[in-house]
């Protein structure tokens, strides 16, 4: 009997323990369910506030689209706040910011509300188009980077702004900008990468963080765009009507004139031209693979095309309405002037004082400007490699709204005193080491480093070799994203 009573006591204790465990599990599941319902409710409230805020931005853009530019500019000179219609619990505010060559810039702020006092704020910068097809406005807003913008020196951005996906490092010196946006801090980018150092003086950091946060910028696929430029400008060699055996030495104008109006193929050797003050005109010159052209004296090239490995001008050169399509290096060792021409090569080198007007310079390797070159018109420098400007390069000529376009998969570096009217679309780092003024803008997939005294004047330049947008109707969104949410 003792054993049986003992077993009964054990069974009773076990049953009580299981009952308590079941009760505890029930309470836990009930608490989890309650917490889950609460979390779901909070998330639903936040989503309702977000949708209301986004709707407010859309309504503001519709307002801008319906108004004439002069009327919108006047009406929104001071911020105008409006309640969202219908059941949308939100307000939106539109303010005219400034005017660029691409159109008028407006700032839209929209705050949406939801249950449980949830709020969500969205800020957008948009351009109301001035009409026609124009260079994408992102390229003319100042400094825009998918990486970090680092400033070590006195830097000013006029009529434009600054955006860095990965934040800013403002070192010694002074920095100022009219408009500043950032995509940090966020969960992906810690606040430590979005910092203004104490030594720097600037007008946009509050508590060492950018005052305004928007969605990250995507500067686009530069590599694919360069493929299109090569297809556009890299002309295939024509079939020759005359074939000569090389090497070929040309020492008189009469010998040059004998080739005028023809397509000449040279096999088995190089071509050497030494006709001081001579003119090469109306010629298609095709060399077999591996052979080159060398010009030892001043030469004028007009309405002519050359296909070769290398092309070197050891003396002064003037090139008009011509094309050079090379597998190797194009080098100008003396003074050179180029107008309405196309250069395609692995490497392009300028040494000496030069003028380049409305010329396309495409390099599968690097582009190096070692001298003092003045660029004007819709000149384009496009390269798979790096671009380097050395010395006192003068890029400051502004004619109408045309500008230099530099499109590079690699880095772009300025050394020395350089001024430019141009737009830079860079896959690598954009770096200034020295004193510089840019009228135009910089758009970089990587970092922007300013290590000298720099002034950026945002300007709506036009260049058909950059991505274009149609601003005839509606508005174009420059940036749009959440500023804060509760």
């Amino acid at each position: 009997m003792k054993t049986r009573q003992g077993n009964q006591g054990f069974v009773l204790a076990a049953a009580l323990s299981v009952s308590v465990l079941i009760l505890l599990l029930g309470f836990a599941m009930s608490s989890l369910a309650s917490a889950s319902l609460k979390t779901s409710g909070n998330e639903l409230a936040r989503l309702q506030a977000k949708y209301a805020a986004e709707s407010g931005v859309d309504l503001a853009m519709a307002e801008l689209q319906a108004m004439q530019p002069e009327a919108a500019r006047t009406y929104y000179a001071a911020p105008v706040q409006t309640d969202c219609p219908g059941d949308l619990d939100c307000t939106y505010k539109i303010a005219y910011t400034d005017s660029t060559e691409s159109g008028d810039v407006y700032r839209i702020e929209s705050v949406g509300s939801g249950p449980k006092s949830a709020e969500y704020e969205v800020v957008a910068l948009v351009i109301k188009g001035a009409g026609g097809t124009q260079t994408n406005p992102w390229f003319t807003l100042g400094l825009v980077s998918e990486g970090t913008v680092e400033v070590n020196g006195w830097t000013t951005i006029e009529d434009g702004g600054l955006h860095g996906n990965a934040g800013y490092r403002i070192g010694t010196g002074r920095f100022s900008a009219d408009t500043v946006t950032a995509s940090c801090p966020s969960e992906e980018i810690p606040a430590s990468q979005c910092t203004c150092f104490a030594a720097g003086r600037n007008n946009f950091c509050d508590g060492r963080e950018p005052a305004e946060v928007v969605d990250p910028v995507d500067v686009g696929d530069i590599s694919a765009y360069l493929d299109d430029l090569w297809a556009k400008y890299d002309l295939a060699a024509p079939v020759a009507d005359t074939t000569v055996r090389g090497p070929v030495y040309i020492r008189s104008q009469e010998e040059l004139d004998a080739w005028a109006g023809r397509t000449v193929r040279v096999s088995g050797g190089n071509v050497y031209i030494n006709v001081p003050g001579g003119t090469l005109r109306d010629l298609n010159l095709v060399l077999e693979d591996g052979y080159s052209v060398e010009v030892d004296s001043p030469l004028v090239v007009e309405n002519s095309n050359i296909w070769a490995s290398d092309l070197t001008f050891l003396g002064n050169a003037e090139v008009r309405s011509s094309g050079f399509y090379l597998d190797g290096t194009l080098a100008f060792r003396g003074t050179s002037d180029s107008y309405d021409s196309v250069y395609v090569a692995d490497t392009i080198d300028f040494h000496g004082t030069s003028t380049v007007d409305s010329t396309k310079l495409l390099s599968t390797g690097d582009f190096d400007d070692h001298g003092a070159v003045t660029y004007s018109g819709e000149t384009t420098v496009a390269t798979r490699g790096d671009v380097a400007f050395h010395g006192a390069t003068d890029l400051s000529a502004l004619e109408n709204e045309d500008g230099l376009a530099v499109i590079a998969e690699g880095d772009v570096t300025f050394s020395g005193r350089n001024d430019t009217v141009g737009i830079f679309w860079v896959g690598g780092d954009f770096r200034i080491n020295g004193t510089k003024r840019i009228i135009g803008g910089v758009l970089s997939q990587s970092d922007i480093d300013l290590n000298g005294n720099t002034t950026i004047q945002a300007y709506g330049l036009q260049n058909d070799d950059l991505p274009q947008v149609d601003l005839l109707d509606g508005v174009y969104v420059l940036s749009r994203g959440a500023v804060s949410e509760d």
Side-chain angles (χ1 to χ4, degrees):
M1 292 293 294
K2 286 184 178 180
T3 301
R4 186 173 180 181
Q5 289 178 349
N7 289 339
Q8 288 178 340
F10 175 78
V11 171
L12 180 60
L16 288 172
S17 298
V18 170
S19 299
V20 170
L21 180 59
I22 291 173
L23 287 173
L24 290 175
L25 287 173
F27 284 130
M29 292 178 67
S30 176
S31 298
L32 286 173
S34 176
S36 178
L37 287 172
K38 183 178 180 180
T39 300
S40 298
N42 291 338
E43 179 64 18
L44 180 60
R46 189 192 73 85
L47 286 175
Q48 290 180 358
K50 177 182 179 181
Y51 293 147
E54 296 286 2
S55 297
V57 173
D58 294 336
L59 289 166
M61 290 172 59
E63 280 187 22
L64 285 174
Q65 182 174 356
M67 296 181 73
Q68 294 297 319
E70 295 79 7
R73 200 178 302 128
T74 302
Y75 186 70
Y76 296 117
V80 177
Q81 184 162 310
T82 306
D83 291 328
C84 294
D87 297 331
L88 292 174
D89 188 4
C90 62
T91 61
Y92 62 89
K93 181 167 59 177
I94 307 176
Y96 171 66
T97 302
D98 59 22
S99 182
T100 72
E101 295 298 318
S102 300
D104 295 334
V105 181
Y106 294 84
R107 176 186 173 90
I108 300 172
E109 299 177 7
S110 178
V111 179
S113 302
K116 302 182 180 181
S117 300
E119 285 193 347
Y120 196 101
E121 182 179 3
V122 175
V123 170
L125 290 177
V126 302
I127 280 187
K128 182 174 175 59
T133 300
Q134 302 179 25
T135 298
N136 191 322
W138 262 122
F139 290 87
T140 59
L141 289 181
L143 297 177
V144 180
S145 170
E146 285 190 15
T148 298
V149 179
E150 183 163 347
V151 176
N152 296 303
W154 288 52
T155 299
T156 302
I157 300 180
E158 301 174 354
D159 302 323
L162 171 70
H163 180 103
N165 281 7
Y168 315 97
R169 296 187 179 94
I170 310 301
T172 58
R174 183 175 65 185
F175 179 85
S176 63
D178 292 342
T179 304
V180 177
T181 58
S183 64
C184 64
S186 68
E187 294 181 359
E188 296 78 16
I189 304 170
S192 60
Q193 289 184 243
C194 201
T195 299
C196 303
F197 293 163
R201 288 177 288 167
N202 60 83
N203 69 339
F204 69 87
C205 274
D206 181 15
R208 295 198 176 190
E209 292 182 1
E212 183 177 311
V213 182
V214 298
D215 288 343
V217 171
D218 181 357
V219 308
D221 190 340
I222 295 177
S223 178
Y225 202 81
L226 288 176
D227 290 341
D228 295 337
L229 287 184
W230 255 262
K232 180 179 179 180
Y233 291 117
D234 195 3
L235 185 65
V239 177
D241 54 50
T242 301
T243 300
V244 298
R245 184 71 181 173
V248 175
Y249 296 87
I250 299 177
R251 299 185 176 90
S252 69
Q253 183 63 47
E254 290 75 14
E255 291 176 289
L256 288 175
D257 290 341
W259 280 0
R262 304 172 68 179
T263 298
V264 178
R265 180 179 182 85
V266 178
S267 64
N270 299 327
V271 173
Y272 301 91
I273 301 175
N274 188 2
V275 184
T279 300
L280 174 68
R281 61 170 60 91
D282 302 324
L283 169 66
N284 287 326
L285 180 59
V286 183
L287 277 70
E288 287 184 345
D289 291 345
Y291 293 104
S292 304
V293 178
E294 184 176 289
V295 181
D296 293 327
S297 58
L299 184 70
V300 176
V301 182
E302 292 182 348
N303 301 314
S304 296
N305 299 295
I306 296 176
W307 290 263
S309 179
D310 301 322
L311 173 57
T312 304
F313 290 90
L314 297 175
N316 298 338
E318 182 176 327
V319 183
R320 294 183 177 276
S321 303
S322 298
F324 304 144
Y325 309 94
L326 314 173
D327 296 326
T329 299
L330 171 62
F332 293 94
R333 303 300 180 190
T335 298
S336 62
D337 298 297
S338 177
Y339 306 91
D340 303 307
S341 296
V342 176
Y343 303 155
V344 179
D346 179 66
T347 301
I348 300 177
D349 287 331
F350 282 94
H351 296 262
T353 303
S354 302
T355 299
V356 177
D357 180 56
S358 302
T359 293
K360 313 303 178 184
L361 305 100
L362 281 65
S363 169
T364 55
D366 296 334
F367 175 88
D368 290 304
D369 177 356
H370 295 280
V373 181
T374 299
Y375 300 86
S376 60
E378 280 201 14
T379 289
T380 300
V381 174
T383 175
R384 302 286 190 185
D386 299 331
V387 176
F389 297 94
H390 305 274
T393 301
D394 179 12
L395 308 168
S396 58
L398 176 61
E399 300 176 2
N400 301 320
E401 296 176 5
D402 296 337
L404 169 71
V406 177
I407 307 171
E409 281 193 275
D411 299 336
V412 173
T413 303
F414 283 90
S415 301
R417 168 73 194 196
N418 302 284
D419 295 318
T420 178
V421 174
I423 301 172
F424 300 85
W425 189 18
V426 186
D429 294 338
F430 179 87
R431 186 179 299 107
I432 295 177
N433 300 315
T435 302
K436 181 169 181 60
R437 182 180 184 88
I438 294 178
I439 301 174
V442 178
L443 194 62
S444 173
Q445 283 184 322
S446 188
D447 297 335
I448 296 177
D449 298 324
L450 307 179
N451 299 315
N453 296 338
T454 306
T455 300
I456 312 294
Q457 180 181 346
Y459 194 86
L461 299 173
Q462 300 304 312
N463 189 299
D464 289 341
D465 290 327
L466 289 168
Q468 306 292 301
V469 295
D470 187 357
L471 293 175
L472 184 61
D473 297 314
V475 293
Y476 184 87
V477 178
L478 298 171
S479 63
R480 176 171 175 166
V483 173
S484 63
E485 55 184 278
D486 297 324

